[in-house]
Amino acid sequence: MRILGIIPARGGSKSVPKKNIKLLDGKPLLQYTVDVAKASKNITKLILSSDDDAIINIAKQLDLEVPFKRPSNLAQDNSPTLPVIQHALNFYKAQDIHFEAVCLLQVTSPFKTTEFIDQAIHKFITSEADALVSVKPVPDEYNPHWVFKANNTGSLELFTEDKQIISRRQDLPKAYHRDGVIYITKTRVLLEENSLYGRVLTYIESPSNFNVNIDTIEDWKKAEIYLKENKYKEY
C-alpha cells in the first residue's frame, strides 16, 4: 500500500513559542518525529506540511522533503487537520501521483518509535478499516459508565443513559481516548467522504512511555523530565 506520511508543523504557536523547532535536549522538537518516521519501512513518502520558513529550513537540514509551503489560511489557530491533509493529497494528485492512505504524525508527540509507526500501519492494512487512531486507556474514574451529567431537573444521571450504575471496577468495559500520536486514513475517505475517521475506525494502544503531548509549557517541562529520567534512545 502506498502511504503518504505527513508531518504537520505550523508556525505561530502561542502556548510554547516556536514550539516545533524549540530545542528539546539539544534537538529541535521536529527532529524526534522526523528521525523515527524516516526509518519506517511502511511509509512510501514522508513530507513536511508547514507555512513557516524557519520550520521549513530546519526540516530541509534534517533531509525531510518539503514539496510546498502550506497556505496561511490552513495554518491558523483554529485550522482543522482534514483540509491540511487534503491540500497535500491534492498537490500530488495534480501531478498524477497517488497514495492509498495517509499517515499523520504529530510533532507534539515526540516519543513515538519507528517500531510503533510500522505496527500501526501494519494493523491498519490488515484490518481493512477506513482509519486507525492511536489511543490510551481512560482511567476507571473517568470511564463513561461512571460519568454523570445534570439533567434539567437538577438531578444527576449517567452519561451513558444506563439505568443502573456498574458498581464493580472489574465489570467496567474498556474505554479509550485518542492520544494524538498517529492517525492513518484511506485517501478515498479523506477526499471523497471528507472525513478523517470514516465509518470503520480501528485503533492501536500506545505504549505507556508515550506520556507527553506537548501543548503547554508545563507539557514541555514534563518532556524534559521524561528525557532526563528515561535517557530516551531512538529506535
Side-chain angles (χ1 to χ4, degrees), residues 19 96 114 170 221:
K19 172 175 61 180
D96 200 27
T114 300
Q170 295 89 339
K221 291 176 181 177

Side-chain angles (χ1 to χ4, degrees), residues 126-166:
T126 56
S127 72
E128 298 185 356
D130 291 331
L132 174 146
V133 296
S134 56
V135 299
K136 290 179 182 174
V138 173
D140 289 339
E141 60 267 32
Y142 301 124
N143 189 291
H145 291 272
W146 279 1
V147 174
F148 296 88
K149 61 182 176 180
N151 59 28
N152 54 16
T153 67
S155 301
L156 289 178
E157 57 185 43
L158 286 167
F159 211 85
T160 57
E161 298 184 356
D162 292 342
K163 299 302 181 183
Q164 298 291 328
I165 297 173
I166 297 175

Side-chain angles (χ1 to χ4, degrees), residues 99-226:
F99 299 92
E100 296 168 81
V102 167
C103 176
L104 187 77
L105 299 167
Q106 303 278 23
V107 177
T108 48
S109 297
F111 303 138
K112 52 189 164 289
T113 66
T114 300
E115 180 183 17
F116 180 72
I117 293 171
D118 283 340
Q119 286 175 349
I121 294 174
H122 177 74
K123 180 170 184 181
F124 168 73
I125 293 171
T126 56
S127 72
E128 298 185 356
D130 291 331
L132 174 146
V133 296
S134 56
V135 299
K136 290 179 182 174
V138 173
D140 289 339
E141 60 267 32
Y142 301 124
N143 189 291
H145 291 272
W146 279 1
V147 174
F148 296 88
K149 61 182 176 180
N151 59 28
N152 54 16
T153 67
S155 301
L156 289 178
E157 57 185 43
L158 286 167
F159 211 85
T160 57
E161 298 184 356
D162 292 342
K163 299 302 181 183
Q164 298 291 328
I165 297 173
I166 297 175
S167 58
R168 286 171 20 102
R169 174 183 56 80
Q170 295 89 339
D171 295 333
L172 287 171
K174 198 76 171 179
Y176 299 95
H177 68 89
R178 293 173 301 159
D179 63 4
V181 175
I182 190 169
Y183 297 82
I184 309 172
T185 310
K186 289 181 178 177
T187 299
R188 173 187 57 77
V189 173
L190 292 162
L191 295 181
E192 297 177 14
E193 298 183 16
N194 203 40
S195 171
L196 188 60
Y197 306 106
R199 300 179 183 181
V200 180
L201 179 65
T202 190
Y203 70 96
I204 186 168
E205 189 171 338
S206 294
S208 58
N209 64 317
F210 295 172
N211 60 351
V212 181
N213 190 337
I214 301 176
D215 287 322
T216 66
I217 194 65
E218 288 74 22
D219 295 331
W220 188 276
K221 291 176 181 177
K222 289 178 184 178
E224 291 178 323
I225 293 171
Y226 178 82

